[in-house]
Amino acid sequence: MNLLIENFSLEKELILDRESDSPFKIRTTSLSLSKQENQIIECHLTFWVTLQFYDRIDRENLFNLKPEIRSPFSAGEFQDSEFQDSESQDSTDIQITATLEPALIPKLAENGTDAEQVALYIERLNQQEPKHPILSSYSWYALEFKQQKEGGETGYHTLWTYLKPFEVAKQGINSKDIDSKTINEAMLNFAASWGDIPQVNVQTDGQTDDQSIDPNNSEDSVDVISQVTEEMIHTFEELTNNLSEMTEEMVSESIKEINDAFEEVTDSISEVSRNINSSETIFQAIINFFVEDNWQFSYLKAEPIIRVNFQGKNGQWDCYVKVIEEKQQFAFYSICPIRTRLNKRLPVTEFITRANYGMIIGNFEFDFTSGEIRYKTSIDVEGDNLSFALIKKIVYTNVMMMDEYLPSLIAVIEGKAGVREALARIEV
């Protein structure tokens, strides 16, 4: 079935989430429609936001951006530019491409038959119906994030790039028009962005070519797919709390279908997990800990690095495990969910220096160049065994410390408290 793409330049400012306590502006650049048999099936919007506002998107999961459904950065994380002039003031802005919630596509079709008419309709909504669901960030699924920086471009894709919301939302999903094979291919291609897993080539008719990959061919592939599968299902469940009533029923019905489609893969990964020998390497011991302690995680065996996401009382952030097998060492890092802007790096340096004094297990680290803050706990077990209890102590001490200090740290970064005042809230 032929797919027609229509593009229209839309250089406007739109206000989103006007019903919320914190509405915001985006600067749009283009709108595109995907059509099949002259019917609109998908609408993409490309727009710019500041680096500061990207931090809010990241922190509040706007545009359905969940930590567990994003690929790694292609060339390092987004950064402030230390040298900006009037001609390059947008150099640190982030370009986002998002796709509209499928349940709202019929509303577009009622008000336009091509990209230009749809773009004008969205402009009219912005002026006349600012509380319309189309102007809600929860009605858009972020597909791609990009930033131009010195030496090239960096960014990442989300799961929605591969598992297209309009395909999942088709009425045919309940009649097996979208079968487990199609979803598996989407999940495998998303997993490929995390490591050395080849992508599956899908033809326009939905069939794969002769180089299609069986997800059960390797333990690594199955492991990544299983992790992402569980995370994706969890994400859909959370989205039902955010989407409008018109989409809630559709998403709820989709969850069971997705769960059934991956039941066989999940059974396979359970068997693989049971066969992990925790005594062989530190890396495998740590994987075994996360499996037994019911953490969701992904890993790159070649590095070796393990990534997990943690939700504390005061925020959510990424964590990383780094293993040095030859020295029998491992370190666990909690990454502060927001970066420090240039004008706040000196007070943050003072905060971390004062906070670190007297700490016994672990310490804060601050990259003054990038603005990244992390908490590190580590251990050297040369000549001894790395037990479940030792790993648990390293991991839980770390995340508890980050959770305890995070509100005060953010207050300093955002200029809402001085260093001593912020520390006094903790160290009483």
Side-chain angles (χ1 to χ4, degrees), residues 399-425:
V399 295
M400 290 174 64
M401 290 297 286
M402 176 60 82
D403 199 42
E404 181 180 7
Y405 277 82
L406 188 59
S408 293
L409 189 53
I410 291 176
V412 173
I413 292 173
E414 295 180 346
K416 296 179 179 178
V419 172
R420 298 193 180 192
E421 175 191 352
L423 285 170
R425 299 175 184 177

Side-chain angles (χ1 to χ4, degrees), residues 77-94:
E77 296 187 4
F78 298 139
Q79 294 184 355
D80 253 335
S81 174
E82 297 189 28
F83 305 99
Q84 284 193 349
D85 53 38
S86 59
E87 295 181 358
S88 63
Q89 63 182 33
D90 294 336
S91 63
T92 62
D93 285 358
I94 313 299

Side-chain angles (χ1 to χ4, degrees), residues 250-403:
M250 178 276 296
V251 176
S252 297
E253 291 175 354
S254 299
I255 294 172
K256 184 180 184 302
E257 296 298 325
I258 293 168
N259 224 333
D260 292 343
F262 286 103
E263 186 174 354
E264 185 174 345
V265 176
T266 304
D267 289 343
S268 298
I269 192 59
S270 296
E271 184 176 351
V272 171
S273 297
R274 285 193 297 270
N275 291 333
I276 291 177
N277 183 352
S278 62
S279 65
E280 289 184 353
T281 65
I282 292 176
F283 187 69
Q284 289 174 338
I286 295 170
I287 288 177
N288 193 53
F289 165 79
F290 285 125
V291 171
E292 291 185 26
D293 210 43
N294 296 318
W295 288 63
Q296 292 185 344
F297 65 95
S298 59
Y299 68 87
L300 297 175
K301 196 169 184 179
E303 295 297 332
I305 295 175
I306 302 170
R307 173 186 177 270
V308 298
N309 185 264
F310 184 80
Q311 175 68 61
K313 293 181 180 179
N314 297 313
Q316 186 175 23
W317 60 87
D318 286 334
C319 304
Y320 295 89
V321 177
K322 184 175 181 181
V323 174
I324 306 174
E325 292 286 357
E326 61 271 20
K327 296 183 178 180
Q328 294 186 281
Q329 299 172 341
F330 95 87
F332 188 86
Y333 298 94
S334 278
I335 311 300
C336 179
I338 63 173
R339 286 179 177 267
T340 307
R341 301 183 70 82
L342 286 171
N343 63 343
K344 294 298 179 182
R345 291 183 186 176
L346 285 176
V348 166
T349 299
E350 181 185 351
F351 178 94
I352 288 174
T353 301
R354 291 181 179 275
N356 279 339
Y357 185 77
M359 283 187 176
I360 298 174
I361 303 177
N363 62 278
F364 282 101
E365 297 181 339
F366 182 40
D367 187 329
F368 199 88
T369 301
S370 68
E372 180 182 270
I373 303 167
R374 62 190 188 185
Y375 194 84
K376 179 185 75 175
T377 47
S378 59
I379 192 169
D380 185 325
V381 291
E382 187 174 4
D384 202 349
N385 294 321
L386 183 60
S387 66
F388 183 97
L390 278 175
I391 298 172
K392 187 171 184 177
K393 184 69 174 178
I394 294 295
V395 170
Y396 278 93
T397 298
N398 188 299
V399 295
M400 290 174 64
M401 290 297 286
M402 176 60 82
D403 199 42

Side-chain angles (χ1 to χ4, degrees), residues 235-254:
T235 297
F236 270 114
E237 290 170 342
E238 288 188 347
L239 287 178
T240 61
N241 298 322
N242 297 330
L243 299 178
S244 60
E245 291 183 3
M246 66 187 351
T247 65
E248 209 167 277
E249 182 178 353
M250 178 276 296
V251 176
S252 297
E253 291 175 354
S254 299

